Amino acid sequence: MTKARSKRILQIILFVGTISSLYFVPWPILKAWLTPLPKTVQEQVDKATTYGFDGIIVYVDQKGNTPEFFTSGYKNRENKVPADPKSLFKIASVSKLYTALAITKLAHNEQLSLDKTLADYFPELVGRIENTDKITVRMMVQHRSGIPNYTDTKNYWVHPKQNDQERLELVLDVPANFEPNEDFEYSNTNYLLLSELIERVSGVTRFEYIKEYILEPLHLNNTYGSILDVNADDVMSGYYVGYENDLKMDDNGLMLATAEDLGKFIRALNNGSAFTNKQEQEIYSSLYEFEHTGLIPGYQTIAKYHKDIDAVVIQFTNTVDFDGYNWSLSEIMYNRIVKIVRKKN
């Protein structure tokens, strides 16, 4: 084979390889990332439908300015109801911030010990969950228990369980993912057990405790324990790509809040007003984070405080696809909004 022919074949192979590789390029993400940054938050929010979201709510609370709301798309796409900034939204795993704070308050009041074990508080789980005598409350709060995550069960979201006992049973008698405190792995089972612990030591439901000791002192009147506690008309609809039905009425056992209520909570958590005193704040700081994201079918939440601009930015989007670029696009949307707020500042 001549040198010229070998070179030609190599060129063809490289060309074919290049063309083939284009199939794997995440074009929606690339387009969203490379599009010039708009001048205003509303202009960015108005791009929500091009990102694949049916509706979006954004709340921006920057110190020194009146809090602002931005919306686009639909609260309910079937009836063409526009996105409403006052809508309730399922905040999914952002609920963990409230649970961690409740555990902190109970520990501060010496109603529970962070260093007692799962076996101490749940003796009935000895032999059903590995390492119950080694897993402490602190490890569960910090996702360092090794207890498997029940939502990782195959096809969990296709047929989700109806109550916490059914959810817990998915991981009973299942081997631990690692030895306690030897690793970190996000597990919803940790917070399922912590919610039950709050009830056992306080004598009231987890949400009743959260309402009395967290929500009411902060005057957060638009935060609720579950979809069963609210008027369905007040809730933003949720959608999954490729599935036509509205997921709003699915009872996931998770909290709902308006963007404003969640924003006020994130502000309070970060400025210290959510805590009784400095000692309680220090306990929380040693345990958990001060911001969170949430994702369940139909609902995506990003809730963060940005210290450099003293701003809380909350973003709700109501269209989800676990298998696509959906979450990455929501993060791109959020990060671009924060950039606009920074530039404005």
Side-chain angles (χ1 to χ4, degrees), residues 59-117:
Y59 170 84
V60 178
D61 167 31
Q62 187 169 24
K63 188 175 181 179
N65 298 325
T66 302
E68 296 179 283
F69 299 90
F70 306 90
T71 65
S72 184
Y74 295 116
K75 174 182 179 179
N76 178 280
R77 73 184 181 196
E78 291 81 11
N79 299 319
K80 307 298 182 185
V81 179
D84 177 0
K86 300 297 185 182
S87 293
L88 291 168
F89 197 87
K90 295 181 181 181
I91 60 173
S93 285
V94 180
S95 303
K96 290 181 174 65
L97 293 175
Y98 300 82
T99 301
L101 180 55
I103 291 290
T104 295
K105 289 180 178 295
L106 289 165
H108 178 256
N109 292 332
E110 298 184 347
Q111 291 175 264
L112 62 78
S113 169
L114 295 171
D115 297 313
K116 279 193 173 183
T117 68

Side-chain angles (χ1 to χ4, degrees), residues 198-262:
I198 291 169
E199 299 187 1
R200 292 191 182 193
V201 300
S202 71
V204 297
T205 69
R206 179 194 67 136
F207 186 73
E208 286 173 332
Y209 184 88
I210 288 171
K211 183 176 180 180
E212 181 175 354
Y213 292 96
I214 298 174
L215 303 181
E216 290 180 351
L218 294 174
H219 308 292
L220 302 178
N221 301 315
N222 293 300
T223 303
Y224 299 90
S226 84
I227 188 67
L228 303 179
D229 300 331
V230 302
N231 183 336
D233 292 338
D234 296 333
V235 181
M236 193 170 189
S237 293
Y239 304 99
Y240 194 91
V241 175
Y243 182 73
E244 291 303 313
N245 294 346
D246 186 349
L247 297 167
K248 176 168 66 175
M249 296 309 299
D250 286 7
D251 180 18
N252 307 113
L254 298 169
M255 292 170 62
L256 298 91
T258 60
E260 182 176 27
D261 251 36
L262 179 54

Side-chain angles (χ1 to χ4, degrees), residues 52-54 239-242 295-300 317-322 326:
F53 302 122
D54 287 285
Y239 304 99
Y240 194 91
V241 175
L295 174 65
I296 56 171
Y299 298 89
Q300 295 180 136
T317 50
N318 67 343
T319 313
V320 171
D321 182 1
F322 290 164
N326 190 262

